[in-house]
Amino acid sequence: MTTTTPGTAQVELAIGGMTCASCAARIEKKLNRMDGVEATVNYATEKAKVTFDADISVADLIATVEATGYTAEEPAPPQTDGNEGEGGPTDEEKADAELRPLKQRLVTAVALAVPVIAMAMVPALQIEYWQWLSLTLAAPVVTYAAWPFHRAAWTNARHGAATMDTLISVGTTAAFLWSLWALFFGTAGTPGMTHPFEFTIARTDGAGNIYLEAAAGVTAFILAGRYFEARSKRKAGAALKALMQLGAKEVTVLRNGREVTVPTAELQVGDRFLVRPGEKIATDGTVVEGSSAVDASMLTGESVPVEVSVGDAVTGATLNAGGRLVVEATRVGADTQLARMAKLVEDAQNGKAAAQRLADRISAVFVPIVIALALGTLGFWLGTGQGLTAAFTAAVAVLIIACPCALGLATPTALMVGTGRGAQLGILIKGPEVLETTRKVDTIVLDKTGTVTTGRMTLLKVHTAAGTEETDVLRLAGALEHSSEHPIAQAVATGAAAKAGTLPVPEDFANIPGLGVQGVVEGHAVLVGREKLLEEWAMSLPASLKAAKDAAEKAGRTAIAVAWDGEARAVLEVADAIKETSAEAVRRLKGLGLTPILLTGDNTAVAEAVAAEVGIGEVIAEVMPQDKVDVVKRLQAEGRSVAMVGDGVNDAAALAQADLGLAMGTGTDAAIEAGDLTLVRGDLRAAADAIRLSRRTLGTIRSNLFWAFAYNVAALPLAAAGLLNPMIAGAAMAFSSVFVVGNSLRLRGFQAADK
């Protein structure tokens, strides 16, 4: 996908071969070294967004990436009709094909490593030729299963860099090669050899020691971590797919006086198409026939359906909630508002800096130190005349003990327990990168419709004139409104039925476009609608009802007048009701040190009334989807770390742009996929619980990482001194793993705040 501006061009490249955030940083660094190039590489989405001068070609950019040791290509344009082409693989099939080799390596590693570890750690299992059986089982693990680590380590070495892959590859290779030497040239291959269960610290020549369980165990543990990470990454582009699938798949086009059903992708500008009640509008256009109410809340956040008639503009993917419309297409394909919103989401995802994984940050310093220490140990023992075998024993022991299998468990186990506990509480955490952000967040932006409010029009109040019973108003108005398809009418009918019971059937009914409804119910001539409808029948609201109507409209609610038998009888208030838990949720968010802001596409009066009721001090209203992104960017430019909570398509781009996106699980797929955390219950209180759980999980991962290194670092001096026997090496790995797992399991005790 390439775009151009005068003098510059922009392209998005699909990057292959990255194994960690360090890879993304290396590619970004190489691209930015080119004159006239500005690049951002996102490890999560595996894309590079590059702006470059016109005298540079895309081929030059791809060549630079390939010279760095990775692959690059221009990604295929997104499909707008949900199809992947004739006979071509679907996105799901492509993702499965990419995951399959990793899964095969993981299954192989686990199946073969478990018996190797068991034989090494349990003397009772050490049969006469157990060491040769261990070699047979461990060889495929260290070669085939660990191949991605060796390949990445070689790529890193060619570019003078070191990451976790380097440490894993060097450590496992050293352990395996030393075990081969000990088996074939030392005494470890002697029938009946055992590793006794003892922790003596003594210098040995290493000829009787094998470390196959270290090589196989590290590979299996870390492959498991990589596999679960890859599974979470595969959904990085799902927000775009969800957006593109929101639109109508087929449309009824009027051609030569006939109705013809065609795929939406075949629509042309100027085509006239039919939209029946309950159907989605196929593309952006102008109404040329009919009138209706259009529910655009999914796109705009406006809770009240918009009345449209001839000459009004309508947006693709919005829902026709009323009458029959004929629309003339004005924008199709990539020019529609839906397609532009998809582009906003993609830009926000690509522009969000990929969180550096803690293990990679530590390993960037730790790996070179360990390798230098191993070489120093080798040189020291050779220099003191201890002999080549003893010197190599000590040097290899340094490399082996420095490769902590617990490091492979540190993030996955905490994440597994944390996400499992979150799922029980209705909180879904997408991946480890999400957790680092929760610690820094200081501002939380809340969408109104569907997040703070229910997102449904609800009958809130009934104001009656003197001498009029509320039950009579609900029965007569509800009966008439029940016959209308308008969303506000349905809200009145639902509320009336709930309060007044079974509603009578109208004897006569007529819809007055833009004004309301009229009819006969139980012998009464009833009018329900705008005040103007009553005025056309020479009726006016008494002072008390007029005041109630004005107060309702000032609060941003919809006021509906009710009259029968020539007299105004009542005013009904209809609005998007605030969720019962929203005020408590805002209080809890403030308690976490967050500043709440209400951000909505709805009108200012409605937004301010909602904010006042739930305790939010800052309101930004009447904003379009692209404006929501701009608001988040402005807050970030002010130095704030921004969390965003939303549920609609109109929130998707802002959720992706925010440092932390929390999507309501009751919302659209596009919002859920663009968010970092999903709140399944649709209860805003879960947002506070999600941030608390994420911070707790991050703290657990940090302590896991510390201890994963600490046990091994503590044993490094013993290794360098040549005093490390296999039992101590195995125990250090086992104890660090047990501690990490136990520490992670403490997250199972996390509790949601009292309801």
Side-chain angles (χ1 to χ4, degrees):
M1 189 185 303
T2 308
T3 57
T4 59
T5 55
T8 65
Q10 191 176 87
V11 67
E12 289 170 355
L13 300 176
I15 306 296
M18 294 191 294
T19 60
C20 62
S22 298
C23 300
R26 190 173 311 120
I27 298 168
E28 188 173 302
K29 187 176 180 181
K30 289 284 187 181
L31 286 171
N32 285 324
R33 281 181 177 173
M34 298 175 67
D35 291 335
V37 173
E38 288 184 16
T40 303
V41 180
N42 191 320
Y43 170 58
T45 60
E46 297 184 328
K47 284 186 178 181
K49 184 177 180 180
V50 189
T51 303
F52 55 98
D53 290 346
D55 58 345
I56 299 173
S57 68
V58 175
D60 294 333
L61 301 173
I62 292 175
T64 299
V65 175
E66 291 176 343
T68 313
Y70 305 89
T71 63
E73 61 182 7
E74 289 194 67
Q79 300 289 331
T80 57
D81 58 358
N83 299 322
E84 304 295 333
E86 295 294 331
T90 64
D91 287 346
E92 196 74 14
E93 289 169 346
K94 291 177 184 175
D96 287 340
E98 291 173 2
L99 270 180
R100 200 173 298 119
L102 182 56
K103 185 176 182 179
Q104 290 170 347
R105 294 181 197 276
L106 172 60
V107 171
T108 300
V110 171
L112 299 180
V114 168
V116 172
I117 295 170
M119 284 188 288
M121 301 300 293
V122 182
L125 298 177
Q126 294 173 4
I127 57 179
E128 187 172 5
Y129 291 100
W130 73 273
Q131 68 273 47
W132 296 101
L133 176 59
S134 292
L135 175 63
T136 304
L137 295 174
V141 179
V142 178
T143 52
Y144 163 70
W147 175 246
F149 305 130
H150 303 319
R151 183 178 57 206
W154 173 246
T155 300
N156 293 331
R158 284 169 50 210
H159 296 91
T163 65
M164 270 310 303
D165 290 317
T166 307
L167 189 55
I168 296 164
S169 177
V170 170
T172 55
T173 302
F176 185 72
L177 292 178
W178 185 261
S179 299
L180 284 179
W181 184 92
L183 285 168
F184 285 100
F185 302 105
T187 58
T190 305
M193 184 277 290
T194 61
H195 280 173
F197 197 83
E198 60 184 24
F199 295 97
T200 56
I201 297 176
R203 184 171 294 123
T204 67
D205 65 1
N209 299 338
I210 59 172
Y211 299 99
L212 293 171
E213 78 284 358
V218 167
T219 301
F221 281 132
I222 297 180
L223 272 175
R226 291 284 169 88
Y227 175 71
F228 290 117
E229 180 184 41
R231 283 190 61 182
S232 67
K233 273 178 56 185
R234 67 184 286 184
K235 293 188 176 181
L240 300 176
K241 188 172 181 181
L243 272 173
M244 297 315 246
Q245 289 181 339
L246 280 174
K249 303 298 183 291
E250 293 184 330
V251 58
T252 303
V253 182
L254 302 177
R255 288 179 179 163
N256 301 321
R258 294 189 308 114
E259 296 181 4
V260 182
T261 301
V262 300
T264 303
E266 294 182 11
L267 265 181
Q268 302 291 324
V269 173
D271 281 348
R272 294 192 173 192
F273 58 92
L274 178 64
V275 189
R276 298 181 179 88
E279 290 183 345
K280 288 181 180 178
I281 296 172
T283 194
D284 298 359
T286 304
V287 178
V288 294
E289 184 182 319
S291 62
S292 181
V294 174
D295 182 358
S297 60
M298 191 188 304
L299 286 171
T300 65
E302 177 69 45
S303 56
V304 180
V306 180
E307 301 284 351
V308 297
S309 57
V310 175
D312 291 335
V314 290
T315 305
T318 55
L319 185 68
N320 179 15
R324 176 183 183 275
L325 294 175
V326 176
V327 179
E328 182 175 308
T330 55
R331 288 196 295 257
V332 297
D335 293 330
T336 64
Q337 185 172 345
L338 183 66
R340 292 201 302 270
M341 289 176 67
K343 186 68 170 65
L344 281 172
V345 173
E346 188 169 27
D347 287 346
Q349 285 184 335
N350 285 340
K352 184 193 288 187
Q356 281 277 35
R357 289 176 55 205
L358 292 174
D360 284 311
R361 288 211 293 266
I362 297 171
S363 64
V365 177
F366 187 67
V367 175
I369 291 176
V370 168
I371 293 174
L373 182 59
L375 292 174
T377 301
L378 177 66
F380 174 80
W381 289 113
L382 286 175
T384 56
Q386 294 296 319
L388 187 61
T389 301
F392 266 99
T393 299
V396 171
V398 169
L399 291 175
I400 293 169
I401 197 62
C403 191
C405 66
L407 193 63
L409 288 169
T411 297
T413 54
L415 196 62
M416 196 178 303
V417 178
T419 53
R421 183 59 185 145
Q424 292 175 338
L425 301 173
I427 301 161
L428 304 182
I429 303 171
K430 284 199 175 175
E433 293 87 357
V434 173
L435 304 176
E436 288 192 73
T437 309
T438 60
R439 181 176 55 87
K440 307 169 189 172
V441 167
D442 53 32
T443 302
I444 187 160
V445 177
L446 306 174
D447 169 56
K448 181 186 74 67
T449 307
T451 301
V452 176
T453 65
T454 61
R456 300 185 306 274
M457 300 303 289
T458 306
L459 177 62
L460 298 180
K461 289 184 181 179
V462 179
H463 303 276
T464 59
T468 302
E469 293 293 330
E470 181 176 318
T471 305
D472 293 336
V473 173
L474 292 172
R475 289 180 67 254
L476 297 178
L480 208 56
E481 293 283 54
H482 185 67
S483 299
S484 172
E485 295 175 333
H486 196 289
I488 292 179
Q490 288 300 305
V492 172
T494 301
K499 294 181 180 179
T502 304
L503 301 175
V505 178
E507 298 148 34
D508 185 34
F509 172 82
N511 179 50
I512 313 300
L515 292 178
V517 293
Q518 66 185 44
V520 177
V521 183
E522 295 183 338
H524 299 285
V526 184
L527 300 174
V528 183
R530 300 190 181 195
E531 186 179 7
K532 187 177 179 182
L533 178 62
L534 273 63
E535 291 172 351
E536 289 189 358
W537 287 83
M539 285 182 266
S540 59
L541 293 174
S544 61
L545 294 183
K546 180 72 173 174
K549 172 183 172 293
D550 292 343
E553 291 179 342
K554 189 174 182 181
R557 296 175 177 175
T558 299
I560 302 167
V562 181
W564 66 82
D565 297 342
E567 187 177 341
R569 307 280 185 163
V571 166
L572 310 178
E573 286 189 34
V574 174
D576 182 8
I578 295 172
K579 293 179 181 177
E580 294 179 358
T581 58
S582 291
E584 172 65 14
V586 169
R587 186 186 66 77
R588 292 183 187 176
L589 291 169
K590 288 179 178 178
L592 290 171
L594 305 177
T595 302
I597 298 174
L598 190 67
L599 179 65
T600 179
D602 218 336
N603 68 68
T604 302
V606 173
E608 289 181 346
V610 170
E613 191 165 338
V614 299
I616 297 175
E618 187 174 347
V619 176
I620 305 172
E622 300 180 20
V623 291
M624 295 300 289
Q626 59 269 30
D627 298 324
K628 288 192 174 186
V629 176
D630 292 340
V631 168
V632 173
K633 287 181 178 177
R634 175 173 59 79
L635 293 170
Q636 290 170 329
E638 292 173 1
R640 301 199 206 186
S641 182
V642 180
M644 167 82 187
V645 188
D647 75 320
V649 175
N650 62 309
D651 303 316
L655 285 168
Q657 175 63 41
D659 299 289
L660 179 68
L662 297 93
M664 305 297 280
T666 50
T668 63
D669 289 343
I672 291 169
E673 295 298 348
D676 301 309
L677 295 164
T678 300
L679 313 177
V680 176
R681 301 199 304 266
D683 184 343
L684 190 56
R685 290 179 300 183
D689 291 333
I691 292 173
R692 285 176 51 240
L693 176 60
S694 297
R695 289 177 175 176
R696 180 83 61 83
T697 306
L698 176 63
T700 301
I701 289 174
R702 287 174 176 273
S703 60
N704 282 353
L705 289 169
F706 170 79
W707 287 108
F709 278 104
Y711 279 110
N712 301 85
V713 169
L716 276 175
L718 293 176
L723 301 175
L724 188 68
N725 71 33
M727 254 350 276
I728 293 179
M733 294 179 69
F735 287 162
S736 59
S737 298
V738 168
F739 181 90
V740 161
V741 172
N743 193 37
S744 297
L745 288 174
R746 293 192 306 123
L747 287 167
R748 294 170 63 183
F750 177 87
Q751 296 292 331
D754 292 335
K755 295 180 173 57

